[in-house]
Amino acid sequence: MSLNLPRLFLQFGTPSRIASSTTTGFPHYHLILAQNKRKFTATATPLLQKSGEEQLLVVVGGGAAGVYGAIRAKTLAPNLNVLVIEKGKPLSKVKISGGGRCNVTNGHCSDNMVLAENYPRGHRELRGSFFNTHGPMDTMSWFVNRGVALKTEDDGRVFPVSNSSSSIIDCLLSEAKHRGVPLYCQVSLQTGKTVTNTSVASSEKFVLKIEKRSVDLVEYVEADYLLIASGSSRQGYTLATQLGHSIVDPVPSLFTFKIEDSQLAELAGVTFPKVGPMLVTHWGLSGPVILRLSAWGARNLFSSDYKGMLAVDFTPDLHVEDMKTILSQHKHQFVKQKVLNSCPPEFGLVKRFWKYILDREGLSGDTLWASVPNNSLISIAHLLKNCTFVVKGKGQFKDEFVTAGGVPLSEVLNVDGVTGGFNFQNAWSGGYIAGTSIGELAVSAASKEGVL
């Protein structure tokens, strides 16, 4: 199978509605299984300390979607007990995303149809009301209204003006801590614990087994509502399976390409704005365009053991015939100059990469332009328009933020986006919609019981 993207072509193989009520019959259950070093001390309130009339929402996962959804549910239903269980550090991916700046969302996709096209898994399903309910502009307004100044960069990526993810983390944790009246009704975030099992009791409540293995502690909790927002963690897949869902095996979605080319490795740090942009690294190729390509080809690449042929067009703004003309004219204009010292400026190539192209063509950089045969000019033009690389595997660092897989969209959700703020937007939107649904259910149930 092959995959076409603007300026890139990848041939696989060895070279030669989000957060909606489920269809399983559980009325108060929501699931968010997609993307997605500050310590937040949980309240000392025991898990089960609540009166008989109070309702409890347990959120599995203290990431962007989980915390955002918890805040939203608590906002709509102030008397709802909200407990977030996180086995590691809360908002850890928010902390390190965007090089520590946190790419909050993308501000260049006001059209939801265009926005949805940035999700390799989910682009058809997300064309409906999903982002109409809570889209990028809503996310930006939410943070700005809470004192976080944001900026939109030229490529659409939105970051806090502070250039620090701490601004986003502090806002979310502060909102969670102070959400609720009286204060003991705030969103409670407890870390170092894992929900290892879930079932539905005869009372139609969820029975959750919560473990803290560091002290060999096991607790059982009955929850009225359950929101699973565990990202790519196997924990969430296990719980979903226990509740009757099937699972599409998750595979990495955003990753770089490993290319064994010693001459290319010497170009580490060279970027190609025209190609996406694309970046040469010590191990291969990276940059937004490579990450996008990996997302769209995630499953095919997994099936081919991350091996294939990558073809790159380094001059997407020029037709091959125009390039031949440019090279021919350049040859006649600079007859006495060495080819290495005189690259046609129309190509926009740095000298180091121009040498790489000449080497691949077998043309010495000391050759004078006057001595370059016409067939070499033709070959250089075609090489720049269709430069192939042998992909040997994924990047050497196992730091993928996003996976493709989880509960199928036909049941609930299996969404992942390309790089550029789209995965966090999916988390904000999914968390908001889940929190809204749960909050409204809680208010309705409390009203019927005369609690409000």
Side-chain angles (χ1 to χ4, degrees), residues 323-347 349 351 354-355 357-358 361 363-381 384:
M323 295 182 64
K324 293 175 184 178
T325 300
I326 291 171
L327 285 165
S328 179
Q329 292 175 344
H330 196 86
K331 171 184 175 178
H332 289 95
Q333 184 177 357
F334 299 96
V335 289
K336 295 183 178 181
Q337 290 195 19
K338 296 179 179 180
V339 290
L340 178 60
N341 297 331
S342 182
C343 173
E346 294 90 340
F347 296 168
L349 305 176
K351 185 175 182 179
W354 177 238
K355 181 180 184 303
I357 290 296
L358 295 176
E361 179 55 30
L363 192 64
S364 171
D366 292 330
T367 303
L368 298 180
W369 271 105
S371 301
V372 178
N374 288 333
N375 62 343
S376 290
L377 300 181
I378 295 173
S379 295
I380 290 173
L384 286 172

Side-chain angles (χ1 to χ4, degrees), residues 149-167:
L150 300 174
K151 60 180 179 179
T152 304
E153 299 194 342
D154 292 341
D155 59 1
R157 292 181 300 164
V158 176
F159 295 94
V161 171
S162 66
N163 280 326
S164 173
S165 58
S166 295
S167 298

